[in-house]
Amino acid sequence: MLDANGPRKPRARKGSLAHLTDRDAVVKAAAVLFDRRGYVETTMQDIADRLKISKPTLYRHAKGKSEILQLIINHWIDRSDAALEQAADMADVAERIPYIVRQWTENAVSNSAHLKVFLSSEQDMPPKAVRRYREWSGKVYEQFRDMIVEGQQQGLYRAGADPTVAAFAVLGFILLLPRWLSASGRMTPAEVADEFLENWASGMRAAGQGR
C-alpha cells in the first residue's frame, strides 16, 4: 500500500527484535535452538519465533538453516583463530598455550551453544562446513603440537613427554567444557583454566622449571 510518503514498511510484530536483528543475533538464537532441539528438528520458523521476527525477515539475514549452521561454525573458528594468532605473536613461548587456554575457556563458556553445535555430527553439516571443520581441526592440532615441541626444544617442557598426547589433552579439555562448566558454576572460567593449566604443566614441566 502507498501513501504520500511512499510504500509503508511492514509492521513489526509485538515485542519484535526486528530493529535489532542482525546476523549475530540470528546465529546466537539458532545455536541455542540447534543445541536444545537438534539441527534437523529446528525450523526457520522456530528461529524467527525466538527472535520475534517474521520468517521473511529472517530470510533476509540467511538463506536457510544450512547457511546458519555454517555461520555458527565460522563463529567458533574465527574467535578461536584470533586467540591462536595472538599467541603465535608472543615472544615468550611459555605464555602461548596458557593464553590460548584462558581465551578459549572464556569463549567456550560464553558461547557454549555455538561450541556444542560446532561439535555435533558432521552428517548435519553442509559440505563446505565439513571441509572447514576438518581443515581447522587438523590445523589446530598441528599448531598445538608445534608449540609443545618448541617448548621442549627450549627446555620448558619435558623432553620425554609425547607432544601428540599433550596437544590432545589441551584440546580435549577445551572441547568438553560446555558439557559441565557454566558461567554460574562454583568456579569461574578463569579459575577453571588456571586449575587445568597447573595440572597440565605439572606433568609437562621440565626439571628445574619453576611454577
Side-chain angles (χ1 to χ4, degrees), residues 101-113:
V101 168
R102 293 185 180 105
Q103 293 295 313
W104 281 19
T105 299
E106 291 284 353
N107 191 23
V109 174
S110 60
N111 297 282
S112 62

Side-chain angles (χ1 to χ4, degrees), residues 11-211:
R11 182 177 297 175
R13 290 159 54 182
K14 185 176 181 180
S16 170
L17 302 179
H19 64 296
L20 299 175
T21 303
D22 56 18
R23 277 201 161 187
D24 285 342
V26 170
V27 167
K28 184 175 182 180
V32 171
L33 291 173
F34 290 170
D35 176 38
R36 291 178 181 174
R37 302 182 183 180
Y39 173 79
V40 175
E41 289 75 14
T42 301
T43 66
M44 290 292 278
Q45 186 64 59
D46 292 331
I47 299 169
D49 289 344
R50 183 173 180 84
L51 290 165
K52 297 181 180 178
I53 60 176
S54 68
K55 192 157 70 169
T57 298
L58 176 60
Y59 275 107
R60 289 204 289 269
H61 295 284
K63 297 176 182 177
K65 287 198 304 178
S66 178
E67 182 178 355
I68 294 174
L69 181 58
Q70 178 74 60
L71 292 171
I72 292 171
I73 292 168
N74 291 346
H75 177 99
W76 171 261
I77 289 178
D78 291 345
R79 281 156 181 76
S80 299
D81 277 351
L84 283 169
E85 291 169 6
Q86 290 168 347
D89 291 336
M90 291 180 173
D92 188 350
V93 175
E95 286 300 316
R96 292 177 184 173
I97 289 178
Y99 177 81
I100 296 169
V101 168
R102 293 185 180 105
Q103 293 295 313
W104 281 19
T105 299
E106 291 284 353
N107 191 23
V109 174
S110 60
N111 297 282
S112 62
H114 298 74
L115 179 53
K116 284 187 278 187
V117 173
F118 175 78
L119 297 172
S120 64
S121 174
E122 288 185 5
Q123 68 183 7
D124 292 335
M125 296 182 185
K128 183 179 179 181
V130 172
R131 287 194 299 273
R132 190 176 188 204
Y133 170 80
R134 291 179 178 176
E135 290 170 0
W136 182 82
S137 298
K139 178 195 75 172
V140 168
Y141 157 71
E142 292 292 342
Q143 287 180 305
F144 269 95
R145 192 181 186 282
D146 289 347
M147 283 187 284
I148 292 166
V149 169
E150 186 175 0
Q152 288 174 317
Q153 293 170 344
Q154 293 190 13
L156 298 170
Y157 304 136
R158 283 191 301 110
D162 187 291
T164 296
V165 173
F168 277 116
V170 176
L171 291 172
F173 163 73
I174 296 295
L175 299 179
L176 287 173
L177 279 173
R179 296 183 182 274
W180 63 273
L181 182 61
S182 69
S184 59
R186 177 174 58 87
M187 300 174 70
T188 66
E191 290 171 339
V192 170
D194 287 343
E195 180 70 17
F196 168 78
L197 286 167
E198 177 55 33
N199 283 288
W200 182 82
S202 66
M204 289 295 295
R205 196 175 291 124
Q209 290 293 322
R211 292 186 59 173

